[in-house]
Amino acid sequence: MRDPRRTSKIVSYILLAPIVAFFVSPILWLIVTPFSIRPSLFISLNGFTLNNFARVFQNRTAINAFRNSLVISVSVVVLVTTCALFAAYVLSRHDFKGRNVLLYMLVLFSSVVSGAAAMVPIFILNLRLGLINTELGVILTLSGGIMPTALFILKDFFDSIPRTYEEAALVDGSSPLQVMFRIFLPLSSKGIIVIAMLVFTQSWSNFLVPFVLLRSTSKYPVSVAIYTFFSEVGVPDIGMISAYAFLYTLPVIFAYVLIERKFGFSFYGGIKG
């Protein structure tokens, strides 16, 4: 007689196998194809070569795009993290008129500001401000779209810190600004790291905003520059695209591994921070 648990497990594996293959196949393709002599849309390594990477490094637009992406992403991280730090402290520790309305509005528009539904007014706003085809326009637009999410994450960390810490510091003569930097900042360091990683990933991978706001190929980030690897008739250069995509993923993977090894992603409250 067959064991029903064993049969159920076999059926589960059979059903899950196509799902696993669906998600694993693109990763395998990205790892294998850049090093293939005859790259294609199928996973096949018919000879090892680094020629695809050499062609990428010979493309000036492709190399400049990495610098542009780095400038945009780092700028967005600094701007969002700094603003979210002060805003989250105020929303977490100060009760003022209109606070609940402000929080509601942030929740409502947190996923709309930089989305496709808002690109027309965003484009018009950047046009009137003279920010079309500028990195500043892209940085401010991306920052506005990511800010609410970063603010809410950091506010949750601030909310978990006992008020007794703050009260003791204020009695000791510390100013509210000193309380934030000496107590809230150290105890929420992991939250700030998480926000920085999240903001960097989203700004590094964003395609729509720079595609709409930038006009010069010399200012394209990597997410947009990868579309230049097409022939005049629209045929993709699989070798360069795969090699460029491989290089494109390395900064995010490197940042994740570095932060995971140095800080980890475990979360603690105020007492264990």
Side-chain angles (χ1 to χ4, degrees):
M1 184 175 180
R2 293 184 178 180
D3 185 356
R5 289 181 298 179
R6 180 181 178 85
T7 303
S8 176
K9 186 178 294 186
I10 293 174
V11 173
S12 299
Y13 288 155
I14 294 175
L15 294 176
L16 289 175
I19 300 176
V20 174
F22 178 80
F23 287 100
V24 172
S25 296
I27 299 175
L28 291 177
W29 182 89
L30 182 62
I31 295 174
V32 172
T33 306
F35 303 97
S36 178
I37 293 179
R38 291 185 298 276
S40 67
L41 295 177
F42 300 96
I43 302 175
S44 61
L45 183 61
N46 41 34
F48 182 86
T49 182
L50 294 176
N51 182 58
N52 296 321
F53 292 96
R55 293 168 58 206
V56 169
F57 286 112
Q58 292 170 1
N59 190 307
R60 180 170 297 182
T61 300
I63 300 304
N64 288 339
F66 275 100
R67 183 199 66 83
N68 298 335
S69 289
L70 190 61
V71 170
I72 292 173
S73 299
V74 172
S75 299
V76 173
V77 168
V78 173
L79 182 59
V80 170
T81 304
T82 303
C83 293
L85 181 66
F86 287 97
Y89 175 71
V90 173
L91 292 174
S92 175
R93 285 305 194 252
H94 297 279
D95 190 10
F96 53 90
K97 186 176 181 179
R99 175 175 175 269
N100 293 332
V101 175
L102 178 60
L103 289 173
Y104 174 77
M105 295 298 290
L106 288 173
V107 172
L108 182 62
F109 293 107
S110 60
S111 60
V112 176
V113 174
S114 60
M119 283 314 300
V120 172
I122 287 175
F123 177 83
I124 295 174
L125 178 61
N126 280 273
L127 181 64
R128 293 182 177 179
L129 293 176
L131 297 177
I132 295 296
N133 200 33
T134 65
E135 292 179 341
L136 180 60
V138 176
I139 292 169
L140 293 178
T141 302
L142 289 175
S143 299
I146 304 173
M147 185 72 70
T149 303
L151 194 156
F152 278 110
I153 294 175
L154 195 55
K155 179 181 177 297
D156 286 341
F157 277 89
F158 284 177
D159 289 341
S160 68
I161 299 175
R163 289 186 177 271
T164 53
Y165 292 8
E166 182 182 5
E167 293 169 355
L170 292 173
V171 170
D172 195 43
S174 298
S175 65
L177 193 62
Q178 290 174 326
V179 170
M180 188 184 70
F181 282 104
R182 294 178 180 178
I183 296 179
F184 283 81
L185 194 60
L187 293 179
S188 303
S189 59
K190 291 187 177 181
I192 296 173
I193 294 299
V194 169
I195 289 173
M197 182 66 189
L198 175 66
V199 173
F200 179 82
T201 303
Q202 291 193 10
S203 57
W204 181 266
S205 61
N206 190 280
F207 166 79
L208 182 61
V209 172
F211 179 75
V212 172
L213 298 182
L214 298 178
R215 292 292 177 267
S216 303
T217 56
S218 61
K219 297 182 179 180
Y220 282 170
V222 180
S223 58
V224 180
I226 196 170
Y227 274 79
T228 62
F229 298 149
F230 285 80
S231 66
E232 295 180 358
V233 294
V235 178
D237 188 331
I238 301 298
M240 290 190 68
I241 290 177
S242 60
Y244 203 46
F246 183 87
L247 295 173
Y248 184 33
T249 60
L250 291 182
V252 175
I253 296 175
F254 176 77
Y256 176 84
V257 172
L258 179 65
I259 292 173
E260 171 64 21
R261 293 189 62 180
K262 188 173 180 61
F263 298 99
F265 282 106
S266 54
F267 300 100
Y268 304 96
I271 295 177
K272 293 183 180 180

